[in-house]
Amino acid sequence: MHDSSSQQEFVDAVEAWAEKELRPVARKYDLADEYPHDIVEQMKELGLFGATIGEAYGGLGLSSWTYAQIVIKLSSIWMAPSGIVNSHLIMASAIERAGTEEQKAKYLPLMASGEFRGSIGLTEPNAGSDLQAIRTVARLEGDNYVVNGNKTWITNSMHGHGTLLLVKTDPAAQPRHKGMSLLIAEKGPGFNVVGKLKKMGYRSIDTCELNFEDYRVPKANLLGGVEGKGFYQTAGGLELGRINVASRGAGIAEGALKHSLRYAQERSAFGKPICEHQAIQMKLADMVTQVEGAKRLIEQAARKFDAGERCDLEAAMAKLAGSEAGAFCAQEAMRIFGGYSYSVEYEIERFYRDAMLMCIGEGTNEILRTVIAKQLVDRYRV
Protein backbone atom coordinates (compact mmCIF):
# COMPACT_ATOMS: atom_id res chain seq x y z
CA MET A 1 0.00 0.00 0.00
CA HIS A 2 2.61 2.48 -1.17
CA ASP A 3 0.52 5.26 -2.55
CA SER A 4 -0.22 7.92 0.08
CA SER A 5 -3.90 8.36 -0.92
CA SER A 6 -4.60 4.64 -0.38
CA GLN A 7 -2.78 4.82 2.97
CA GLN A 8 -4.97 7.81 3.94
CA GLU A 9 -8.08 5.87 2.90
CA PHE A 10 -7.01 3.07 5.21
CA VAL A 11 -6.58 5.52 8.13
CA ASP A 12 -10.11 6.80 7.45
CA ALA A 13 -11.49 3.25 7.26
CA VAL A 14 -9.91 2.36 10.62
CA GLU A 15 -11.32 5.53 12.17
CA ALA A 16 -14.82 4.71 10.91
CA TRP A 17 -14.48 1.15 12.26
CA ALA A 18 -13.29 2.44 15.66
CA GLU A 19 -16.23 4.84 15.95
CA LYS A 20 -18.71 2.10 15.05
CA GLU A 21 -17.21 -0.89 16.91
CA LEU A 22 -14.83 0.38 19.62
CA ARG A 23 -16.61 3.38 21.07
CA PRO A 24 -19.80 1.53 22.11
CA VAL A 25 -17.96 -1.28 23.97
CA ALA A 26 -14.86 0.44 25.41
CA ARG A 27 -16.35 1.27 28.82
CA LYS A 28 -17.89 -2.19 29.24
CA TYR A 29 -14.62 -4.04 28.53
CA ASP A 30 -12.49 -1.60 30.52
CA LEU A 31 -14.59 -1.70 33.69
CA ALA A 32 -14.86 -5.50 33.55
CA ASP A 33 -11.11 -5.79 32.76
CA GLU A 34 -12.10 -8.34 30.13
CA TYR A 35 -10.08 -9.25 27.00
CA PRO A 36 -11.93 -8.09 23.84
CA HIS A 37 -11.72 -11.29 21.78
CA ASP A 38 -14.32 -10.13 19.23
CA ILE A 39 -12.48 -6.82 18.71
CA VAL A 40 -9.22 -8.73 18.10
CA GLU A 41 -10.95 -10.85 15.43
CA GLN A 42 -12.14 -7.67 13.70
CA MET A 43 -8.64 -6.19 13.90
CA LYS A 44 -7.33 -9.33 12.19
CA GLU A 45 -9.84 -8.89 9.37
CA LEU A 46 -8.91 -5.22 8.96
CA GLY A 47 -5.28 -6.25 8.53
CA LEU A 48 -4.06 -4.26 11.54
CA PHE A 49 -1.74 -7.07 12.73
CA GLY A 50 0.15 -6.68 9.46
CA ALA A 51 0.01 -2.88 9.37
CA THR A 52 3.77 -2.21 9.18
CA ILE A 53 4.88 -5.66 7.94
CA GLY A 54 6.19 -5.63 4.35
CA GLU A 55 3.82 -6.52 1.51
CA ALA A 56 6.18 -9.33 0.46
CA TYR A 57 5.15 -11.14 3.67
CA GLY A 58 1.42 -10.45 3.38
CA GLY A 59 1.43 -7.23 5.41
CA LEU A 60 0.08 -3.82 4.42
CA GLY A 61 3.52 -2.19 4.38
CA LEU A 62 2.24 1.05 5.92
CA SER A 63 4.71 3.80 6.68
CA SER A 64 5.27 4.40 10.38
CA TRP A 65 3.69 7.88 9.99
CA THR A 66 0.49 6.33 8.57
CA TYR A 67 0.56 3.77 11.37
CA ALA A 68 1.13 6.51 13.98
CA GLN A 69 -2.00 8.29 12.71
CA ILE A 70 -3.99 5.06 13.11
CA VAL A 71 -2.73 4.66 16.69
CA ILE A 72 -3.69 8.28 17.48
CA LYS A 73 -7.23 7.66 16.14
CA LEU A 74 -7.66 4.39 18.08
CA SER A 75 -6.28 5.86 21.31
CA SER A 76 -8.52 8.91 21.08
CA ILE A 77 -11.42 6.46 21.51
CA TRP A 78 -9.88 3.66 23.59
CA MET A 79 -6.13 3.28 24.06
CA ALA A 80 -5.94 -0.37 25.16
CA PRO A 81 -6.58 -2.13 21.80
CA SER A 82 -3.70 -0.21 20.20
CA GLY A 83 -1.44 -2.03 22.68
CA ILE A 84 -2.51 -5.43 21.34
CA VAL A 85 -1.19 -4.41 17.92
CA ASN A 86 1.81 -2.35 19.05
CA SER A 87 3.76 -5.04 20.95
CA HIS A 88 3.05 -7.50 18.15
CA LEU A 89 4.33 -5.14 15.44
CA ILE A 90 7.49 -4.27 17.38
CA MET A 91 8.29 -8.00 17.46
CA ALA A 92 7.50 -8.29 13.72
CA SER A 93 9.62 -5.23 12.94
CA ALA A 94 12.61 -6.75 14.76
CA ILE A 95 12.24 -10.02 12.82
CA GLU A 96 11.88 -8.15 9.51
CA ARG A 97 14.90 -5.94 10.29
CA ALA A 98 17.27 -8.42 11.96
CA GLY A 99 15.95 -11.92 11.33
CA THR A 100 17.36 -14.58 8.99
CA GLU A 101 15.57 -15.24 5.68
CA GLU A 102 14.17 -18.47 7.18
CA GLN A 103 12.85 -16.63 10.27
CA LYS A 104 11.16 -13.96 8.13
CA ALA A 105 9.57 -16.53 5.79
CA LYS A 106 8.31 -18.61 8.72
CA TYR A 107 6.93 -15.95 11.06
CA LEU A 108 6.05 -12.77 9.18
CA PRO A 109 3.15 -14.13 7.05
CA LEU A 110 1.60 -15.72 10.19
CA MET A 111 2.09 -12.45 12.09
CA ALA A 112 0.63 -10.33 9.27
CA SER A 113 -2.60 -12.35 9.33
CA GLY A 114 -2.79 -12.22 13.14
CA GLU A 115 -2.60 -16.02 13.28
CA PHE A 116 0.59 -15.68 15.32
CA ARG A 117 0.32 -12.73 17.73
CA GLY A 118 3.51 -11.69 19.44
CA SER A 119 4.86 -9.66 22.32
CA ILE A 120 8.14 -8.20 23.57
CA GLY A 121 9.77 -10.03 26.49
CA LEU A 122 12.28 -7.51 27.83
CA THR A 123 11.31 -6.26 31.29
CA GLU A 124 12.11 -8.26 34.44
CA PRO A 125 11.16 -7.73 38.10
CA ASN A 126 14.60 -6.18 38.69
CA ALA A 127 15.26 -4.68 35.24
CA GLY A 128 13.09 -2.10 33.48
CA SER A 129 14.91 0.85 31.94
CA ASP A 130 18.28 -0.77 32.74
CA LEU A 131 17.94 -3.68 30.30
CA GLN A 132 21.53 -4.80 30.75
CA ALA A 133 20.59 -5.91 34.28
CA ILE A 134 18.38 -8.79 33.06
CA ARG A 135 18.96 -12.21 34.65
CA THR A 136 17.08 -14.56 32.31
CA VAL A 137 19.70 -16.97 30.98
CA ALA A 138 19.69 -19.16 27.85
CA ARG A 139 22.22 -22.02 27.78
CA LEU A 140 22.95 -23.77 24.48
CA GLU A 141 22.50 -27.55 24.69
CA GLY A 142 22.85 -29.25 21.32
CA ASP A 143 20.31 -27.71 18.94
CA ASN A 144 18.29 -25.95 21.66
CA TYR A 145 18.67 -23.06 24.06
CA VAL A 146 17.47 -23.92 27.57
CA VAL A 147 15.95 -20.83 29.17
CA ASN A 148 15.47 -20.06 32.88
CA GLY A 149 14.27 -16.78 34.35
CA ASN A 150 11.33 -14.39 34.78
CA LYS A 151 9.77 -11.55 32.84
CA THR A 152 7.09 -9.10 33.93
CA TRP A 153 4.79 -6.45 32.39
CA ILE A 154 4.58 -8.48 29.17
CA THR A 155 1.59 -7.27 27.17
CA ASN A 156 -0.09 -9.79 24.83
CA SER A 157 1.39 -12.75 26.66
CA MET A 158 -1.72 -14.57 27.86
CA HIS A 159 -3.67 -14.56 24.59
CA GLY A 160 -0.66 -14.23 22.27
CA HIS A 161 1.35 -17.09 20.78
CA GLY A 162 4.92 -16.17 21.61
CA THR A 163 7.34 -13.46 22.59
CA LEU A 164 10.61 -11.94 21.42
CA LEU A 165 12.64 -12.89 24.46
CA LEU A 166 15.69 -10.94 25.65
CA VAL A 167 18.12 -13.34 27.35
CA LYS A 168 21.74 -13.55 28.47
CA THR A 169 23.51 -16.12 26.30
CA ASP A 170 26.81 -15.13 27.98
CA PRO A 171 26.11 -13.91 31.54
CA ALA A 172 29.82 -13.25 32.16
CA ALA A 173 30.31 -10.95 29.13
CA GLN A 174 31.87 -7.52 29.65
CA PRO A 175 30.51 -5.04 28.70
CA ARG A 176 27.23 -6.67 29.74
CA HIS A 177 25.34 -5.93 26.49
CA LYS A 178 27.70 -8.20 24.53
CA GLY A 179 26.23 -11.24 26.25
CA MET A 180 22.60 -10.49 25.30
CA SER A 181 20.56 -12.17 22.56
CA LEU A 182 16.94 -12.25 21.36
CA LEU A 183 15.05 -15.52 20.88
CA ILE A 184 11.80 -16.01 18.96
CA ALA A 185 10.06 -17.89 21.75
CA GLU A 186 6.86 -19.79 20.93
CA LYS A 187 4.71 -21.06 23.76
CA GLY A 188 5.52 -24.58 24.89
CA PRO A 189 6.54 -26.68 27.93
CA GLY A 190 8.38 -24.51 30.46
CA PHE A 191 6.94 -21.23 29.07
CA ASN A 192 4.62 -20.37 31.97
CA VAL A 193 2.21 -17.43 32.00
CA VAL A 194 2.05 -16.97 35.76
CA GLY A 195 -0.80 -14.50 36.04
CA LYS A 196 -2.41 -11.38 34.68
CA LEU A 197 -1.38 -8.21 36.52
CA LYS A 198 -4.23 -6.11 37.91
CA LYS A 199 -3.70 -2.60 36.65
CA MET A 200 -5.10 0.85 37.44
CA GLY A 201 -5.60 1.58 33.75
CA TYR A 202 -4.80 -0.03 30.39
CA ARG A 203 -7.24 -2.74 31.39
CA SER A 204 -8.73 -5.52 29.23
CA ILE A 205 -5.25 -6.15 27.90
CA ASP A 206 -3.35 -9.21 29.10
CA THR A 207 -0.22 -7.86 30.78
CA CYS A 208 1.35 -10.80 32.60
CA GLU A 209 4.30 -12.23 34.47
CA LEU A 210 6.17 -15.01 32.68
CA ASN A 211 8.30 -17.72 34.22
CA PHE A 212 10.69 -19.91 32.23
CA GLU A 213 11.73 -23.28 33.65
CA ASP A 214 14.08 -25.32 31.47
CA TYR A 215 12.12 -23.95 28.51
CA ARG A 216 13.65 -25.06 25.20
CA VAL A 217 13.94 -22.85 22.11
CA PRO A 218 15.42 -24.22 18.87
CA LYS A 219 18.80 -22.69 18.00
CA ALA A 220 17.24 -21.71 14.65
CA ASN A 221 15.10 -19.19 16.59
CA LEU A 222 18.07 -17.04 17.69
CA LEU A 223 17.18 -13.71 16.04
CA GLY A 224 19.62 -13.11 13.19
CA GLY A 225 21.47 -16.36 13.95
CA VAL A 226 24.34 -14.68 15.83
CA GLU A 227 24.67 -14.41 19.62
CA GLY A 228 25.42 -11.13 21.40
CA LYS A 229 23.37 -8.83 19.15
CA GLY A 230 20.23 -8.69 21.31
CA PHE A 231 20.84 -5.33 22.95
CA TYR A 232 21.31 -3.53 19.62
CA GLN A 233 18.41 -5.38 17.98
CA THR A 234 16.24 -4.21 20.89
CA ALA A 235 17.45 -0.62 20.64
CA GLY A 236 16.41 -0.52 16.97
CA GLY A 237 12.87 -1.54 17.91
CA LEU A 238 12.68 1.08 20.65
CA GLU A 239 12.53 3.91 18.13
CA LEU A 240 9.38 2.43 16.60
CA GLY A 241 8.12 1.62 20.10
CA ARG A 242 8.62 5.21 21.19
CA ILE A 243 6.81 6.57 18.14
CA ASN A 244 3.95 4.17 19.00
CA VAL A 245 3.77 5.23 22.66
CA ALA A 246 3.99 8.89 21.62
CA SER A 247 1.01 8.29 19.33
CA ARG A 248 -0.96 6.61 22.10
CA GLY A 249 -0.27 9.58 24.39
CA ALA A 250 -1.26 12.07 21.71
CA GLY A 251 -4.41 10.03 21.03
CA ILE A 252 -5.37 10.09 24.72
CA ALA A 253 -4.75 13.86 24.69
CA GLU A 254 -6.90 14.34 21.61
CA GLY A 255 -9.69 12.15 22.99
CA ALA A 256 -9.67 14.03 26.31
CA LEU A 257 -9.82 17.34 24.41
CA LYS A 258 -12.80 16.19 22.30
CA HIS A 259 -14.71 15.00 25.38
CA SER A 260 -13.92 18.31 27.10
CA LEU A 261 -14.99 20.47 24.14
CA ARG A 262 -18.34 18.73 24.01
CA TYR A 263 -18.94 18.82 27.77
CA ALA A 264 -17.88 22.48 28.05
CA GLN A 265 -20.58 23.41 25.53
CA GLU A 266 -23.29 21.24 27.08
CA ARG A 267 -22.67 22.13 30.73
CA SER A 268 -23.79 25.52 32.06
CA ALA A 269 -22.73 27.37 35.21
CA PHE A 270 -23.62 30.89 36.32
CA GLY A 271 -26.05 31.33 33.45
CA LYS A 272 -23.85 30.36 30.50
CA PRO A 273 -22.06 27.34 28.97
CA ILE A 274 -18.79 26.78 30.84
CA CYS A 275 -16.82 27.13 27.54
CA GLU A 276 -17.62 30.87 27.83
CA HIS A 277 -15.82 31.11 31.18
CA GLN A 278 -12.24 32.27 30.79
CA ALA A 279 -10.81 29.67 33.20
CA ILE A 280 -12.14 26.85 30.98
CA GLN A 281 -11.04 28.62 27.80
CA MET A 282 -7.45 28.74 29.12
CA LYS A 283 -7.53 24.97 29.66
CA LEU A 284 -8.91 24.22 26.20
CA ALA A 285 -6.30 26.48 24.57
CA ASP A 286 -3.42 24.79 26.40
CA MET A 287 -4.83 21.33 25.60
CA VAL A 288 -5.16 21.84 21.84
CA THR A 289 -1.70 23.42 21.66
CA GLN A 290 -0.15 20.38 23.37
CA VAL A 291 -2.07 17.96 21.13
CA GLU A 292 -1.01 19.63 17.89
CA GLY A 293 2.60 20.15 19.02
CA ALA A 294 2.92 16.46 19.96
CA LYS A 295 1.52 15.38 16.59
CA ARG A 296 4.10 17.46 14.72
CA LEU A 297 6.96 15.90 16.72
CA ILE A 298 5.53 12.41 16.08
CA GLU A 299 5.34 13.15 12.34
CA GLN A 300 8.95 14.39 12.33
CA ALA A 301 10.22 11.23 14.08
CA ALA A 302 8.10 8.87 11.96
CA ARG A 303 9.15 10.46 8.66
CA LYS A 304 12.84 10.13 9.61
CA PHE A 305 12.23 6.50 10.64
CA ASP A 306 10.51 5.85 7.28
CA ALA A 307 13.44 7.42 5.42
CA GLY A 308 15.79 5.02 7.23
CA GLU A 309 17.52 7.90 9.03
CA ARG A 310 18.68 7.85 12.62
CA CYS A 311 15.82 9.19 14.75
CA ASP A 312 16.54 8.31 18.38
CA LEU A 313 16.55 11.99 19.40
CA GLU A 314 13.36 12.72 17.46
CA ALA A 315 11.61 9.58 18.75
CA ALA A 316 12.56 10.45 22.33
CA MET A 317 11.23 14.01 21.93
CA ALA A 318 8.00 12.72 20.35
CA LYS A 319 7.50 10.19 23.13
CA LEU A 320 8.16 12.79 25.82
CA ALA A 321 5.79 15.32 24.22
CA GLY A 322 3.05 12.82 23.31
CA SER A 323 2.92 11.12 26.69
CA GLU A 324 3.09 14.36 28.67
CA ALA A 325 0.32 15.80 26.46
CA GLY A 326 -1.80 12.74 27.28
CA ALA A 327 -1.26 13.09 31.03
CA PHE A 328 -1.79 16.88 30.95
CA CYS A 329 -4.96 16.82 28.82
CA ALA A 330 -6.49 13.94 30.77
CA GLN A 331 -5.97 15.81 34.04
CA GLU A 332 -7.30 19.11 32.64
CA ALA A 333 -10.32 17.23 31.30
CA MET A 334 -11.00 15.86 34.79
CA ARG A 335 -11.07 19.46 36.07
CA ILE A 336 -13.36 20.60 33.26
CA PHE A 337 -15.79 17.75 33.99
CA GLY A 338 -15.69 18.61 37.70
CA GLY A 339 -17.52 16.17 39.99
CA TYR A 340 -18.79 14.10 37.07
CA SER A 341 -15.21 13.23 36.11
CA TYR A 342 -15.18 10.76 39.02
CA SER A 343 -18.24 8.90 37.76
CA VAL A 344 -17.74 5.87 35.51
CA GLU A 345 -20.85 7.07 33.64
CA TYR A 346 -18.49 9.46 31.87
CA GLU A 347 -15.56 7.98 29.96
CA ILE A 348 -13.09 10.71 30.90
CA GLU A 349 -11.95 8.85 34.02
CA ARG A 350 -10.62 6.05 31.78
CA PHE A 351 -8.45 8.51 29.85
CA TYR A 352 -7.06 9.74 33.18
CA ARG A 353 -6.26 6.19 34.33
CA ASP A 354 -4.69 5.21 31.00
CA ALA A 355 -2.59 8.34 30.46
CA MET A 356 0.09 7.91 33.10
CA LEU A 357 1.33 4.60 31.70
CA MET A 358 2.57 6.39 28.58
CA CYS A 359 4.93 8.51 30.72
CA ILE A 360 6.46 5.31 32.14
CA GLY A 361 6.45 2.76 29.28
CA GLU A 362 9.11 2.48 26.53
CA GLY A 363 11.66 4.35 28.64
CA THR A 364 10.53 6.61 31.48
CA ASN A 365 10.29 10.29 30.59
CA GLU A 366 13.00 11.01 33.16
CA ILE A 367 15.44 8.74 31.31
CA LEU A 368 14.32 10.11 27.94
CA ARG A 369 15.11 13.64 29.07
CA THR A 370 18.70 12.54 29.72
CA VAL A 371 18.81 10.84 26.27
CA ILE A 372 17.59 14.07 24.63
CA ALA A 373 20.04 16.26 26.55
CA LYS A 374 23.06 14.02 25.78
CA GLN A 375 22.24 14.00 22.06
CA LEU A 376 21.76 17.74 22.09
CA VAL A 377 25.17 18.35 23.67
CA ASP A 378 26.75 15.92 21.17
CA ARG A 379 25.24 17.78 18.22
CA TYR A 380 26.31 21.19 19.46
CA ARG A 381 29.80 20.51 20.83
CA VAL A 382 31.76 23.72 21.49
Side-chain angles (χ1 to χ4, degrees), residues 122-126 135-136 148-152 194 210-212:
L122 309 180
T123 308
E124 296 188 5
N126 63 300
R135 295 175 187 165
T136 299
N148 284 283
N150 297 287
K151 296 286 176 183
T152 192
V194 183
L210 305 180
N211 162 257
F212 298 95

Side-chain angles (χ1 to χ4, degrees), residues 183-319:
L183 300 174
I184 302 170
E186 291 190 48
K187 285 187 171 173
F191 183 130
N192 307 310
V193 180
V194 183
K196 181 177 156 181
L197 296 158
K198 283 195 91 62
K199 307 186 297 293
M200 172 178 97
Y202 196 36
R203 294 186 190 156
S204 306
I205 304 309
D206 48 334
T207 306
C208 304
E209 294 193 36
L210 305 180
N211 162 257
F212 298 95
E213 287 181 87
D214 293 335
Y215 161 67
R216 304 179 92 79
V217 184
K219 188 180 173 186
N221 281 24
L222 171 68
L223 188 68
V226 182
E227 286 188 6
K229 305 261 191 208
F231 187 73
Y232 291 110
Q233 290 166 342
T234 305
L238 284 178
E239 290 176 354
L240 186 61
R242 281 172 184 164
I243 291 167
N244 287 341
V245 168
S247 305
R248 284 150 81 176
I252 288 172
E254 187 163 75
L257 171 64
K258 284 180 177 168
H259 279 288
S260 299
L261 277 169
R262 180 173 184 153
Y263 185 79
Q265 292 171 71
E266 291 171 347
R267 172 80 173 175
S268 287
F270 306 103
K272 56 184 177 183
I274 63 171
C275 63
E276 291 177 26
H277 290 288
Q278 201 172 30
I280 302 298
Q281 291 172 342
M282 299 290 159
K283 291 186 184 306
L284 294 171
D286 286 343
M287 289 164 82
V288 72
T289 304
Q290 288 224 13
V291 168
E292 294 305 319
K295 283 194 199 162
R296 296 293 75 78
L297 284 169
I298 292 165
E299 181 175 6
Q300 171 184 263
R303 289 200 186 280
K304 285 198 92 159
F305 184 88
D306 290 332
E309 295 171 31
R310 182 176 173 176
C311 67
D312 44 353
L313 173 64
E314 290 76 11
M317 290 194 299
K319 193 274 189 184

Side-chain angles (χ1 to χ4, degrees), residues 55-123:
E55 291 175 287
Y57 300 105
L60 296 176
L62 300 180
S63 70
S64 71
W65 170 231
T66 299
Y67 178 58
Q69 292 174 76
I70 289 168
V71 173
I72 291 170
K73 302 276 189 208
L74 291 176
S75 301
S76 73
I77 294 170
W78 181 22
M79 188 273 286
S82 70
I84 300 177
V85 185
N86 273 337
S87 308
H88 166 85
L89 287 175
I90 296 170
M91 177 177 180
S93 161
I95 293 174
E96 196 162 355
R97 212 177 42 247
T100 62
E101 289 309 315
E102 294 74 24
Q103 288 165 354
K104 292 185 219 181
K106 179 177 178 183
Y107 287 101
L108 291 175
L110 292 172
M111 293 184 84
S113 68
E115 201 177 322
F116 181 100
R117 294 197 304 284
S119 60
I120 304 290
L122 309 180
T123 308

